[in-house]
Amino acid sequence: MFIGHFGLGFAAKRATPALSLAALFAAAQFADLLWPLLVGAGVEQVRIDPGNTAVTPLDFASYPYSHSLLMLVVWGIILGWLSRRLSGDRRAFLVIAALVVSHWVLDFLTHRPDMPLYPGGPKVGLGLWNSTAATIAVEVPLYAAGVWIYTRSTRARDAVGRWAFVSLAVALGLLYVGNLMSPPPPSVTALWVFAIAGGSIILVWGWWADGHRDAV
């Protein structure tokens, strides 16, 4: 899943208005932010395998530390605790921890059985990615609902707050379409480098847009 994770990040702003959208995005996407770093370091492995599923040409051969359920619970507790300490918001722990773990839940729906329960443990997945139409039918409404909740929970303080948010929401949608239609990446190196760069840009964009909006 891709924009569905961002949908949850947008929606979580209602529960924790003190937290930046960048922090909420980082929690919802933590697994995918950690994953390219570990792939680049050779700790986790991915193969480019066109036809692996209808939606993605990637074979996630091994990602026990970034994507197993147990490790995401651990990461969620750590990041939730840090967010609670830094923000002073008592709800931050639960929201951040839940967002981190939600990544596994949504990926369990979409991935074929390659989602580990714990490092070295059994792998599961319902395989929604075997159908592009079914994936879109689940993910797009989830994203749209999250964006709608965010717009109902915040208001633009200035033109930057309005248009930075709109451009971010549209850009994520276009990136999603591009991912569905684009050819496989040329190499694993290109894949993880682009993932790090793209993830960083989205976090900065979210921080910038949200910084010009007020909670309502």
Side-chain angles (χ1 to χ4, degrees):
M1 190 164 284
F2 175 64
I3 57 171
H5 298 303
F6 289 104
L8 292 186
F10 274 121
K13 184 69 176 181
R14 171 172 287 180
T16 52
L19 292 184
S20 168
L21 187 60
L24 300 173
F25 277 179
Q29 279 286 87
F30 180 76
D32 285 351
L33 295 172
L34 178 61
W35 172 72
L37 298 174
L38 296 181
V39 171
V43 176
E44 298 188 342
Q45 288 79 44
V46 63
R47 290 189 287 265
I48 299 171
D49 178 27
N52 186 270
T53 66
V55 172
T56 179
L58 303 181
D59 175 14
F60 299 98
S62 175
Y63 50 1
Y65 306 109
S66 66
H67 277 75
S68 71
L69 177 58
L70 175 62
M71 289 307 302
L72 284 174
V73 169
V74 172
W75 293 125
I77 291 171
I78 294 171
L79 294 176
W81 179 81
L82 287 173
S83 298
R84 168 69 178 87
R85 295 282 294 180
L86 293 173
S87 70
D89 186 341
R90 288 180 294 179
R91 291 169 294 184
F93 175 85
L94 288 177
V95 172
I96 292 297
L99 284 173
V100 173
V101 177
S102 75
H103 194 102
W104 190 93
V105 176
L106 294 185
D107 278 6
F108 165 71
L109 297 176
T110 54
H111 283 231
R112 65 186 184 85
D114 61 18
M115 296 293 297
L117 294 177
Y118 52 87
K123 298 179 179 181
V124 296
L126 297 183
L128 191 66
W129 273 350
N130 289 318
S131 169
T132 301
T135 300
I136 293 172
V138 171
E139 194 161 10
V140 170
L142 182 60
Y143 178 68
V147 171
W148 181 80
I149 291 171
Y150 181 81
T151 61
R152 302 287 292 180
S153 305
T154 64
R155 64 165 173 260
R157 189 185 311 136
D158 51 30
V160 172
R162 180 179 302 109
W163 296 112
F165 160 66
V166 169
S167 61
L168 172 62
V170 171
L172 286 171
L174 293 176
L175 186 58
Y176 180 62
V177 173
N179 282 339
L180 293 176
M181 300 179 63
S182 62
S187 67
V188 170
T189 298
L191 172 65
W192 66 259
V193 168
F194 177 79
I196 292 172
S200 301
I201 291 170
I202 290 171
L203 292 185
V204 172
W205 203 338
W207 167 82
W208 177 49
D210 193 61
H212 288 264
R213 298 180 70 88
D214 296 317
V216 296

